[in-house]
Amino acid sequence: MIYAYIGITVLWFFLFCYIIVASIDFGAGFFTLHAKLTKQDKKINHLIARYLNPVWEVTNVFFVFFFVGMVGFFPDTAKYFGSVLLLPASIAVILLSIRGSFYAFENYGPDTKLPWLAMYGLAGLFIPAALATTLTISEGGFIKEHGGIIDLNWVELILSPYAWAVVFLAVISVLYISSGFLTFYADRARDTEAYRLLRYWFLFWGPPMIAISIFVFLSLRVQNETHFMNAVVNYWWMFLLSLLFFIGAMILTYIKKAHGVAFIFVMLQMGFAFFGYGASKLPYILTPYIHIKHGVTNPSMAITLITAFIFALLLLIPSLILIMKLFVFDKQYVEGKK
Amino acid sequence: MDSVELARFLTAMTLAVHIIFATIGVGMPLMFAVAEFLGIRNNDPKYITLAKRWSKGYTITVAVGVVTGTIIGLQLSLLWPTFMQMGGHVIALPLFMETFAFFFEAIFLSIYLYTWDRFKNKWTHFLISLPVILGGSFSAFFITAVNSFMNTPAGFEMKNGKMINVEPWVAMFNDSFLIRSFHVVATALMTMAFVLAAIAAFKLLKNKFAKDTEYHKKALKLTMILGIIFTLGSMLAGDMSAKFLHKEQPEKLAAYEWHFDTSSKADLVLFGSLDEKTQEVSGAVKIPGVLSFLADNNINTKVKGLDDFPKELRPPMIVHYYFDLMVFMGVFCLVVSGAYVMTLVFKKFKRFTHSKPMLYGALLTGPAALLAIEFGWFLTEQGRQPWMVRGYLKVADAATQAGGLTLVTVLFALLYIVLIVTSAYVLIRMFRDKPAYKDVERLKQERGDV
């Protein structure tokens, strides 16, 4: 049974990585579009492109890793989520495709076109909304089952205030995380104009983000009371830490100090909230259909997967460090001198 | 269409689109690595420019490859949930490792594309192409392992409709894994060489910028030589596949050749048409004994016929045409590249090297190789019908029952049309009116040669 917990931790960790790097990516797309429309593009677009061009493809792999690993460790999820998510996941992946390919067409192609920029900028905001729906569904209550056939209860989902709150939270978090990272990146690049704009956005999105998170947290009580009580009783300290890191990040950015630390605070804030949410949700992966203990793969495959995973990390971590060194921590590259 | 047919149609559509970009993805890194290697070794800026321009175009195809690959990865669970629940825990290892290989490739590809001028030693940048090649080839290997498992399942026991006692490594290294991966990688390299050759031939035929002629001739020579090597490799792999099918999946081989009666000295059937009721083949060219020879290097070998298999377990008869077309396209590429290489080897044919017929032939090898890839995959996938996992799970029992499938199919069809048209548009504009000699001159200036 220990494999089930190792598996879900690994997967949750990769999902967290995806959320951070994808948020930076999606938010940046929206900021690029916004800057273009308000004629501020000369200020920030070159900065965003310098960061995004080399890394967007790597971002995508975190996501692939998550759902491939999910099916590998918990094959039952394929049956339930696979059936239920046909429409939401298809829409999400269509948006992802538009986002990824039009990003490439726009940025690697011979010239730029506003409609393409609009396509990937807007798709970037709809993706988190579509993906967040999956988390909502996993809380239970949106699935109907009759005669062995499972399907999504659409009406219920669309009318649910909880579902909408999660969607808004996802979209605003994207803008918040993205502006947080790009403030740091602009500061490193000594790009004053971009820095001013991004810092403004970060401070702008912070308060509504935290307000909606609290609303989501409270409305979880209506949606899935067991989950809510578990979060409040056993994991309250994680949510409290998350809030403290949020305040820390806001203060540091407001007084224009230590933007690197501020972004680490943002990651910790998101991390504590995300892992607190995940840990309190267990033991169900999909309430009440998939219990973590019953859904896990056979032990021989679990051991092999974990072994493969460890060996792969030995290759991947140095590679990731290398790419960060080249495109994030290399001062001259960030400043646009390379 | 019912949900099974819709799910099949949507999967086929996604794979048909993805395979174009995936093939380029597997084949291309070796091409620009070879060009860069030659450029550094011979100190020839033209080869470096080749590598740069190829990899620049590659950024576009890679993006579409990544997104269509993500789609098929998710669609496996969305369209075939029963299959993934039943088999997901048996094939998880290669699926997982494919993602790692892809991860590895994505990281180093990004580094390769954005560090052309960042290293002092020229070889350092070249070295970065090696993990890209490895990552690309290995992801092809692992994903083929998943597909091979569906053809030759192994590494589990069946009990009460569940796969138990799973042995991950046995499932991954199933019987057909090695031969099929070899075939996939060899044909990807072959296709990429010919696609690039076709581009060079096109540019030479059009001859828009006289100063570019030498550059495109270099490209044509390099790609044609690589092309013939990989074509020979592909043919070897194809021959091994036929022998493998004869042993392990005889119904597939028999369907390829409309071979009904088990017999020795079996005929190879080229094209023609089939009356399914009478099992009569008309209008075909039959070559006696060749099918037996193909199956076992001996014309007396007995080849199992379709009559030995119950009707409901036979693949659709259309696969015969795919087989013929695939082989035909492959042979065409071999003939053209063979003729080209001959003109290089024998001095007296030298005047034909860049003659019009030769260039038109080269121009056609690119599309021909891509079509061969498509036909080959249609062949192997439909040749497995009616099975999803051969002998264990039928396609008809595996499809999703969820509502909204028609809508999803239409949405994806629209997406693919937009992606294909736009990526072609971007790629064409990227290189039209952008002569290569200017890139070469810029490179020379940067290096201080001028």
Side-chain angles (χ1 to χ4, degrees):
Chain A
M1 282 319 107
I2 183 81
Y3 304 128
Y5 287 97
I6 296 178
I8 198 74
T9 311
V10 165
L11 293 175
W12 206 242
F13 177 72
F14 267 79
L15 187 59
F16 176 69
C17 293
Y18 178 67
I19 286 176
I20 295 289
V21 288
S23 295
I24 297 173
D25 191 345
F26 297 150
F30 179 77
F31 290 139
T32 313
L33 176 65
H34 184 267
K36 183 93 183 173
L37 293 176
T38 54
K39 305 221 178 335
Q40 297 175 308
D41 47 327
K42 291 221 165 62
K43 284 190 199 165
I44 62 166
N45 288 9
H46 57 96
L47 179 91
I48 290 176
R50 215 179 306 140
Y51 165 74
L52 274 192
N53 280 353
V55 300
W56 80 267
E57 200 192 338
V58 179
T59 303
N60 206 55
V61 192
F62 280 98
F63 180 55
V64 178
F65 186 95
F66 173 73
F67 68 71
V68 166
M70 195 72 189
V71 175
F73 272 107
F74 304 99
D76 278 358
T77 57
K79 187 179 172 199
Y80 286 90
F81 279 117
S83 303
V84 173
L85 290 177
L86 178 67
L87 258 168
S90 293
I91 291 171
V93 80
I94 285 173
L95 289 168
L96 267 175
S97 308
I98 291 175
R99 153 86 210 179
S101 41
F102 278 86
Y103 178 81
F105 299 156
E106 164 79 13
N107 283 281
Y108 307 146
D111 51 21
T112 74
K113 288 187 193 309
L114 185 62
W116 293 4
L117 177 59
M119 273 175 101
Y120 91 74
L122 292 178
L125 283 196
F126 293 130
I127 296 166
L131 291 178
T133 312
T134 312
L135 285 182
T136 308
I137 292 170
S138 72
E139 291 296 340
F142 300 108
I143 294 177
K144 50 185 179 190
E145 186 173 18
H146 51 88
I149 294 176
I150 23 184
D151 208 347
L152 187 62
N153 192 343
W154 268 101
V155 184
E156 190 89 354
L157 184 66
I158 288 173
L159 294 179
S160 155
Y162 175 74
W164 284 105
V166 172
V167 164
F168 280 119
L169 177 59
V171 173
I172 295 185
S173 307
V174 160
L175 297 172
Y176 169 77
I177 296 172
S178 185
S179 54
F181 175 80
L182 291 170
T183 308
F184 155 71
Y185 203 73
D187 180 47
R188 267 190 83 80
R190 295 173 194 279
D191 190 334
T192 331
E193 282 194 85
Y195 167 76
R196 217 178 284 153
L197 196 58
L198 290 159
R199 175 175 164 274
Y200 165 75
W201 271 327
F202 181 72
L203 296 173
F204 179 84
W205 289 118
M209 197 255 343
I210 212 75
I212 295 190
S213 343
I214 292 170
F215 178 75
V216 166
F217 192 73
L218 293 178
S219 59
L220 180 63
R221 184 167 184 175
V222 185
Q223 194 60 42
N224 185 340
E225 198 174 348
T226 331
H227 184 176
F228 176 77
M229 289 316 288
N230 194 13
V232 173
V233 175
N234 298 320
Y235 298 98
W236 58 270
W237 55 275
M238 292 182 87
F239 296 99
L240 183 67
L241 276 174
S242 171
L243 188 65
L244 291 177
F245 280 117
F246 165 76
I247 295 168
M250 278 291 172
I251 292 175
L252 281 178
T253 310
Y254 187 74
I255 60 172
K256 300 186 181 181
K257 285 224 165 77
H259 290 288
V261 180
F263 187 67
I264 291 173
F265 279 7
V266 170
M267 285 202 280
L268 287 170
Q269 170 207 343
M270 289 292 155
F272 276 110
F274 187 72
F275 280 87
Y277 167 82
S280 57
K281 188 170 156 38
L282 291 177
Y284 284 104
I285 296 178
L286 173 60
T287 318
Y289 298 97
I290 308 172
H291 190 285
I292 186 165
K293 285 186 187 169
H294 305 144
V296 73
T297 185
N298 56 78
S300 59
M301 182 55 89
I303 295 177
T304 320
L305 286 184
I306 291 167
T307 319
F309 178 75
I310 292 169
F311 277 101
L313 275 190
L314 293 180
L315 269 180
L316 284 179
I317 290 175
S319 318
L320 280 171
I321 291 176
L322 180 63
I323 196 171
M324 297 273 279
K325 255 185 138 162
L326 287 167
F327 302 117
V328 181
F329 297 117
D330 186 301
K331 237 183 149 128
Q332 281 190 308
Y333 176 82
V334 176
E335 286 176 16
K337 287 177 189 156
K338 268 183 183 169
Chain B
M1 284 200 263
D2 63 2
S3 60
V4 177
E5 278 173 52
L6 264 176
R8 281 186 64 192
F9 177 75
L10 179 50
T11 310
M13 189 165 65
T14 305
L15 283 170
V17 176
H18 178 60
I19 197 64
I20 299 173
F21 296 95
T23 302
I24 298 174
V26 173
M28 193 63 152
L30 185 72
M31 302 299 151
F32 54 65
V34 170
E36 191 182 3
F37 176 84
L38 290 173
I40 299 175
R41 202 195 57 177
N42 302 345
N43 198 19
D44 184 341
K46 285 204 178 68
Y47 280 118
I48 303 276
T49 306
L50 262 183
K52 276 196 169 182
R53 281 166 71 103
W54 283 349
S55 60
K56 194 176 163 200
Y58 184 57
T59 51
I60 301 294
T61 61
V62 130
V64 184
V66 168
V67 298
T68 51
T70 311
I71 292 173
I72 191 63
L74 260 178
Q75 273 183 356
L76 267 183
S77 300
L78 296 176
L79 299 178
W80 311 100
T82 318
F83 161 64
M84 288 307 275
Q85 187 193 23
M86 189 178 170
H89 64 119
V90 191
I91 50 164
L93 180 68
L95 266 180
F96 211 58
M97 296 196 23
E98 197 266 346
T99 321
F100 282 127
F102 174 44
F103 216 143
F104 196 59
E105 182 192 2
I107 292 174
F108 282 95
L109 181 63
S110 295
I111 297 178
Y112 184 87
L113 293 174
Y114 291 93
T115 55
W116 276 98
D117 312 311
R118 282 180 71 175
F119 303 109
K120 279 203 189 86
N121 188 337
K122 286 181 209 156
W123 290 106
T124 314
H125 185 262
F126 165 75
L127 285 179
I128 294 168
S129 68
L130 300 182
V132 182
I133 296 170
L134 281 179
S137 314
F138 273 94
S139 72
F141 267 134
F142 293 132
I143 208 64
T144 311
V146 174
N147 187 272
S148 303
F149 172 84
M150 294 158 87
N151 279 278
T152 51
F156 64 91
E157 283 168 39
M158 206 69 182
K159 204 173 174 188
N160 303 329
K162 286 209 165 124
M163 295 177 176
I164 55 160
N165 291 339
V166 176
E167 297 173 77
W169 295 99
V170 179
M172 185 165 127
F173 290 104
N174 57 72
D175 293 342
S176 59
F177 165 60
L178 274 178
I179 291 177
R180 299 171 108 250
S181 321
F182 174 37
H183 202 149
V184 165
V185 173
T187 52
L189 292 169
M190 163 185 164
T191 303
M192 202 59 239
F194 287 126
V195 167
L196 294 171
I199 295 172
F202 176 79
K203 293 277 186 185
L204 285 171
L205 279 167
K206 235 180 147 198
N207 200 16
K208 199 166 172 187
F209 303 103
K211 282 182 174 174
D212 271 4
T213 312
E214 206 192 327
Y215 168 86
H216 292 306
K217 281 183 179 172
K218 268 201 166 133
L220 186 65
K221 186 175 167 188
L222 173 61
T223 50
M224 279 300 211
I225 292 173
L226 289 173
I228 196 168
I229 296 171
F230 297 134
T231 307
L232 293 172
S234 304
M235 292 197 152
L236 175 67
D239 184 58
M240 285 160 70
S241 302
K243 292 183 170 42
F244 177 82
L245 288 181
H246 167 64
K247 275 202 202 104
E248 304 283 338
Q249 282 177 286
E251 79 281 8
K252 214 172 174 177
L253 187 66
Y256 288 1
E257 285 306 314
W258 289 341
H259 179 63
F260 288 95
D261 309 317
T262 301
S263 59
S264 61
K265 298 205 175 66
D267 300 348
L268 188 75
V269 181
L270 294 178
F271 293 100
S273 67
L274 174 75
D275 183 334
E276 292 215 24
K277 276 192 193 127
T278 57
Q279 302 187 349
E280 288 295 318
V281 180
S282 52
V285 181
K286 292 185 181 178
I287 313 174
V290 174
L291 182 58
S292 293
F293 188 79
L294 207 62
D296 199 29
N297 285 346
N298 180 350
I299 61 160
N300 291 318
T301 298
K302 213 176 238 179
V303 179
K304 258 193 169 184
L306 283 168
D307 286 342
D308 286 7
F309 301 93
K311 264 225 158 73
E312 69 277 9
L313 295 186
R314 290 182 199 166
M317 291 299 123
I318 191 175
V319 292
H320 171 72
Y321 297 112
Y322 300 144
F323 185 65
D324 281 351
L325 285 166
M326 175 186 78
V327 173
F328 178 79
M329 298 293 168
V331 171
F332 173 77
C333 291
L334 179 74
V335 170
V336 174
S337 55
Y340 179 90
V341 171
M342 283 300 158
T343 66
L344 296 181
V345 177
F346 298 104
K347 284 262 154 62
K348 59 179 171 181
F349 294 133
K350 209 174 170 191
R351 65 203 160 92
F352 294 113
T353 311
H354 298 105
S355 62
K356 280 246 153 115
M358 183 67 82
L359 291 180
Y360 276 109
L363 178 65
L364 289 176
T365 53
L370 277 173
L371 282 174
I373 295 275
E374 295 281 358
F375 290 133
W377 276 108
F378 274 99
L379 170 73
T380 187
E381 292 305 289
Q382 288 197 28
R384 175 159 45 93
Q385 296 301 315
W387 296 109
M388 180 103 189
V389 180
R390 185 175 174 265
Y392 294 97
L393 178 67
K394 288 214 176 131
V395 171
D397 303 325
T400 184
Q401 301 288 334
L405 195 51
T406 314
L407 174 66
V408 169
T409 309
V410 173
L411 289 178
F412 275 110
L414 289 175
L415 174 73
Y416 298 146
I417 293 171
V418 171
L419 286 185
I420 289 181
V421 171
T422 320
S423 57
Y425 171 80
V426 172
L427 278 173
I428 290 169
R429 267 164 40 96
M430 202 178 224
F431 296 106
R432 197 180 55 190
D433 304 325
K434 301 276 189 321
Y437 74 88
K438 284 195 177 157
D439 289 347
V440 176
E441 276 167 12
R442 197 174 310 129
L443 192 69
K444 276 184 184 164
Q445 258 171 14
E446 277 165 18
R447 306 199 316 187
D449 289 0
V450 183

